[in-house]
Amino acid sequence: MSPTATRLAALRALARDYQGDITTRVVQQLYVRRFGPGDWRAKARQDLAQLAGEGLLICDETDPGRRCYRLNHVGSTR
């Protein structure tokens, strides 16, 4: 499995199990626990945007200073 596919699988599992808002910071912390230290911010943002594009997550930008994601219960059949 490619590194990207491995990250996205971990993020999909988090999205299905996590209670609350999924932020870039939450994903960064997941990646550090799973894959070790590093600057995961850009990958976290990219992966969140990809899952939102796939319909698994819904992006909430109602607060201009904060972007968060939530599981799309309507589109969570993947």
Side-chain angles (χ1 to χ4, degrees):
M1 191 181 294
S2 74
T4 301
T6 303
R7 281 195 329 271
L8 290 174
L11 183 51
R12 283 185 182 97
L14 173 82
R16 290 194 175 99
D17 298 336
Y18 194 76
Q19 300 294 317
D21 296 337
I22 301 170
T23 62
T24 302
R25 176 149 324 240
V26 169
V27 178
Q28 285 176 280
Q29 291 168 347
L30 168 71
Y31 288 174
V32 167
R33 283 192 311 271
R34 292 285 305 269
F35 309 117
D39 184 8
W40 291 105
R41 185 171 189 261
K43 290 295 184 188
R45 291 184 72 175
Q46 175 186 334
D47 293 348
L48 284 165
Q50 179 167 339
L51 294 189
E54 292 175 6
L56 181 67
L57 300 176
I58 298 171
C59 181
D60 179 355
E61 297 179 294
T62 54
D63 179 350
R66 180 174 187 258
R67 178 183 303 157
C68 65
Y69 295 81
R70 293 182 191 89
L71 181 65
N72 180 359
H73 293 284
V74 174
S76 63
T77 59
R78 289 183 178 205

